[in-house]
Amino acid sequence: MSENRFYITTPIYYPSDKLHIGHAYTTTVADALARWHKFTGKDVYFLTGSDEHGQKIQRIAKEKNVTPKEYVDDIVATFTNLWQRLNIEYDDFVRTTDRRHYLAVQEVFRRIYEKGDIYKSTYQGWYCTPCESFWVETKLEDGNCPDCDRKVELVEEESYFFKLSKYADRLLKHIEDHPEFIQPESRRKEMINFIKSGLDDLCVSRTTFDWGIPVPIDDKHVIYVWFDALTNYLTGVGFPNNQEMLDKWWPADIHLVGKEIMRFHTIIWPIILFALDQPLPTTVFGHGWLLSDSDKMSKSKGNVVDPHALIDEFGVDPIRYFLLREISFGQDGNFNRRALIERTNADLANDLGNLLNRTLAMLNKYFDGVIPSPSGSESIDNQLIQLAGDTVTKLSAQINGLAVNEGLATVWQLVSRANKYIDECAPWVLAKEEATKGRLGTVMYNLFETQRIVTLLIKSFLPETGERIWQQLGISDSIATQTLKHTQWGGLQPGTITQKGDPIFPRIEIDTEQVSKIEPVKQTSEPKPKTNINENVIGIEDFSRVKLVVGKIIEAEKMQDADKLLKLQVDVGSGTRQIVAGIAKHYNPADLPGKNILIVANLKPAKLRGELSEGMLLAASTKDGKLELVSVSDKITPGSLVK
Ligand code: MSP
């Protein structure tokens, strides 16, 4: 294994439903780490994927009256679309239905069987289908799955078993000798206790359904979905046929996983690797959960947060920043809209955005927007320069220690220092006298050099913001070519012509609905209308003639020879309607499926460019003329009447 390469993975997600913000959390952290290590000059491989087999998926597909493959194909397309929208730069995506994965899993099974570590017997015990995990009676809690508290099913079937128990001592020794293997420390202790309480051999095949990879020596059986899924980490780096790739990337540096699936990754997976004579990954990091208003997100509670709606509303980087900065990595953290808005306003709009705006405005005024040469330095300058250097060192150590949120806090201390430096140096005073023009040049140079360094330090976390600030700084080398070594003080060339653009993060006003939740609005008398609404007033009976309903977009496609029109299929509760809408210049069709919108349902059908349109979407223009669909909370089901 070379020091100069870095292999990171996310869990592969179940396509049992669309992904929510909790799933986006793991993948955003993995993306930021992958980008950071690339930035430090390493050769990086970032793997993600989808876990498509198993009883749960087979059941859902059956309920929906489609084949499991048809079902997963549709959902997996929404995964890759989400990753694209979140700017996730993965190197490979393993679908467990890929042929290469099928071959890899069968090969793993065959090798372990031939070694004598897999044997046939009968399984009798409990199974949790949502978690796809086996439980012995004594581990159940109140008769339910101890992980998810849902009902378990009694299973009795002929199965192949994997000798986990044979390797328990070796695993304990590995964990004890390698404190970095299971992180954070609290989870390490938990896993040690679990192993010490005794490991039973693991059932690794099923016969009561067939949506899986067949056991190579006995095709009545399909391989247990976790045995199948864990192997993706090898499939993605060429196992079993591409030895060169495998030698380069295996073992992984980090498997990032949620806390509830640590057991699979730190007990079953290492033992599979022991049996295969493969080295173990360096670290399995178990992060906490993202809670929705302090509660675990779940569809049944109706508190699942849809990342698409958030991206539509706030843009990508505020979401990435919130996930990376707000939640202490390893702990559970709370997601709520107000906290997201406050974080964005405080750190991105005020601290970072204003620093750029203020300094660009001053540079334009005093130096026609051109970076001046610094001349001499005072102790206040040296402090800033020192802090910039220390920030690079501290951030590097924090990211290596997986303290992502602390790392961002470190960078923002430098941003705050730069804002304070403006107030302390008062460029507007220096600009008054010709004699202090040289000093003014030094101050402005230092402010822009600090921002150049900050931009490089944040680009792995906020790639879009990095690009946008870089453009305004006017530096000709592409930001993509910049690495950690470019964060040395002094890299900014005097004479660089900056380019003032739009504020990178306009302040978000908290909407009235939110405010009213926090500070109830008192009304003492009849509210007076602020605007003249007497013109064109209509009565309630006129309004009630318009039937407004909530619809969910199912499909969207461009129309031939009509560059403004999109053809949409919209679920309106009672069925699907086709609507032709003039939004092609404002939306990419791939981004529309899943959106809850408002439609006028009783509009007379019309034909547009030969296509039937049975309704009209509601939309409004933003200040810069972009058309935005009026969106509706996901909690409202299609067909609901707006009243
Ligand atoms: N398919 C398995 C993983 C196999 S890896 C070889 C699985 N899939 S999952 O879709 O249920 O969950 C995938 C990951 O998403 C897990 O790491 C889980 O912890 C994470 N999260 C699901 N909900 C989450 C939150 N609310 N918050 C943070 N992470 C969450 O398990």
Side-chain angles (χ1 to χ4, degrees), residues 243-262:
Q243 194 60 39
E244 197 187 328
M245 188 178 187
L246 193 66
D247 289 343
K248 174 165 183 189
W249 296 109
W250 190 257
D253 292 81
I254 302 183
H255 291 319
L256 273 191
V257 301
K259 61 182 180 183
E260 84 286 12
I261 57 171
M262 278 302 263

Side-chain angles (χ1 to χ4, degrees), residues 11-14 20 22-23 51 226 229 233 258 260-261 287-290:
I12 53 171
Y13 301 96
Y14 287 128
H20 58 63
H23 304 111
D51 185 358
W226 270 100
Y233 301 130
E260 84 286 12
I261 57 171
H287 64 72
W289 283 333
L290 203 62

Side-chain angles (χ1 to χ4, degrees), residues 270-342:
I271 294 183
I272 293 176
L273 292 166
F274 281 153
L276 284 176
D277 293 318
Q278 288 287 344
L280 303 197
T282 311
T283 296
V284 179
F285 189 97
H287 64 72
W289 283 333
L290 203 62
L291 307 174
S292 176
D293 284 325
S294 307
D295 208 355
K296 180 148 199 285
M297 278 182 215
S298 89
K299 224 179 161 196
S300 54
K301 287 185 200 146
N303 63 354
V304 169
V305 178
D306 171 18
H308 286 284
L310 288 176
I311 300 170
D312 290 342
E313 188 172 1
F314 300 105
V316 179
D317 279 356
I319 315 298
R320 286 181 64 115
Y321 184 71
F322 182 85
L323 295 176
L324 298 167
R325 172 67 185 89
E326 186 83 8
I327 294 129
S328 189
F329 198 50
Q331 315 284 311
D332 287 351
N334 205 9
F335 182 89
N336 74 64
R337 202 184 135 82
R338 187 181 172 96
L340 170 70
I341 293 176
E342 284 176 351

Side-chain angles (χ1 to χ4, degrees), residues 261-527:
I261 57 171
M262 278 302 263
R263 219 163 23 88
F264 299 95
H265 284 81
T266 60
I267 299 177
I268 300 176
W269 181 227
I271 294 183
I272 293 176
L273 292 166
F274 281 153
L276 284 176
D277 293 318
Q278 288 287 344
L280 303 197
T282 311
T283 296
V284 179
F285 189 97
H287 64 72
W289 283 333
L290 203 62
L291 307 174
S292 176
D293 284 325
S294 307
D295 208 355
K296 180 148 199 285
M297 278 182 215
S298 89
K299 224 179 161 196
S300 54
K301 287 185 200 146
N303 63 354
V304 169
V305 178
D306 171 18
H308 286 284
L310 288 176
I311 300 170
D312 290 342
E313 188 172 1
F314 300 105
V316 179
D317 279 356
I319 315 298
R320 286 181 64 115
Y321 184 71
F322 182 85
L323 295 176
L324 298 167
R325 172 67 185 89
E326 186 83 8
I327 294 129
S328 189
F329 198 50
Q331 315 284 311
D332 287 351
N334 205 9
F335 182 89
N336 74 64
R337 202 184 135 82
R338 187 181 172 96
L340 170 70
I341 293 176
E342 284 176 351
R343 248 307 154 205
T344 306
N345 282 344
D347 294 8
L348 300 179
N350 285 0
D351 292 351
L352 187 69
N354 270 349
L355 176 63
L356 185 66
N357 272 349
R358 290 166 86 188
T359 50
L360 279 172
M362 286 189 277
L363 195 75
N364 273 337
K365 194 160 163 200
Y366 308 139
F367 295 99
D368 293 328
V370 179
I371 304 286
S373 295
S375 54
S377 65
E378 298 186 359
S379 84
I380 189 170
D381 307 332
N382 293 336
Q383 281 169 23
L384 182 69
I385 296 169
Q386 174 77 39
L387 184 65
D390 291 349
T391 301
V392 176
T393 316
K394 195 168 164 189
L395 171 65
S396 303
Q398 285 167 322
I399 300 302
N400 287 337
L402 295 170
V404 183
N405 60 311
E406 290 171 25
L408 284 173
T410 299
V411 182
W412 256 257
Q413 279 162 9
L414 179 60
V415 173
S416 300
R417 185 69 196 90
N419 273 313
K420 199 160 158 232
Y421 178 86
I422 303 182
D423 300 335
E424 288 168 351
C425 297
W428 47 91
V429 176
L430 299 173
K432 283 191 182 142
E433 308 279 342
E434 196 50 41
T436 48
K437 195 90 199 248
R439 176 72 196 136
L440 177 64
T442 304
V443 168
M444 293 313 297
Y445 179 89
N446 290 345
L447 282 166
F448 278 94
E449 176 56 349
T450 305
Q451 291 183 87
R452 185 188 68 86
I453 294 170
V454 165
T455 309
L456 294 181
L457 295 181
I458 63 174
K459 75 173 184 134
S460 310
F461 310 93
L462 308 175
E464 199 176 285
T465 304
E467 296 265 1
R468 289 177 65 206
I469 302 182
W470 199 252
Q471 206 182 2
Q472 299 203 21
L473 294 179
I475 301 169
S476 53
D477 292 333
S478 146
I479 192 168
T481 63
Q482 306 290 294
T483 59
L484 189 61
K485 65 175 191 289
H486 295 102
T487 57
Q488 280 241 337
W489 188 271
L492 181 62
Q493 293 304 313
T496 301
I497 304 168
T498 58
Q499 298 186 4
K500 191 160 173 21
D502 290 334
I504 49 168
F505 290 104
R507 246 190 101 73
I508 305 165
E509 296 310 327
I510 298 185
D511 56 50
T512 22
E513 190 200 338
Q514 274 310 110
V515 172
S516 62
K517 270 193 211 152
I518 304 147
E519 302 156 338
V521 183
K522 289 189 198 124
Q523 280 192 353
T524 45
S525 58
E526 193 67 9

Side-chain angles (χ1 to χ4, degrees), residues 98-158:
D98 287 346
R99 178 82 189 148
R100 58 177 173 159
H101 181 70
Y102 179 106
L103 297 175
V105 173
Q106 286 208 330
E107 184 60 20
V108 170
F109 196 99
R110 189 179 294 114
R111 285 191 195 179
I112 300 180
Y113 179 76
E114 280 167 7
K115 191 171 183 177
D117 285 342
I118 287 179
Y119 60 93
K120 197 152 136 186
S121 180
T122 302
Y123 179 77
Q124 196 197 31
W126 299 92
Y127 194 75
C128 172
T129 307
C131 296
E132 300 280 15
S133 56
F134 295 97
W135 291 105
V136 289
E137 179 108 24
T138 50
K139 290 253 164 69
L140 299 180
E141 284 172 12
D142 296 331
N144 286 346
C145 168
D147 275 351
C148 72
D149 201 30
R150 282 177 282 205
K151 277 203 167 47
V152 286
E153 297 164 52
L154 192 60
V155 174
E156 182 168 357
E157 60 192 54
E158 181 192 80

Side-chain angles (χ1 to χ4, degrees), residues 167-178 188 274:
Y167 292 94
D169 291 342
R170 183 167 162 199
L171 180 59
L172 268 179
K173 181 159 175 13
H174 183 88
I175 296 172
E176 269 150 23
D177 292 348
H178 299 87
R188 181 167 177 264
F274 281 153

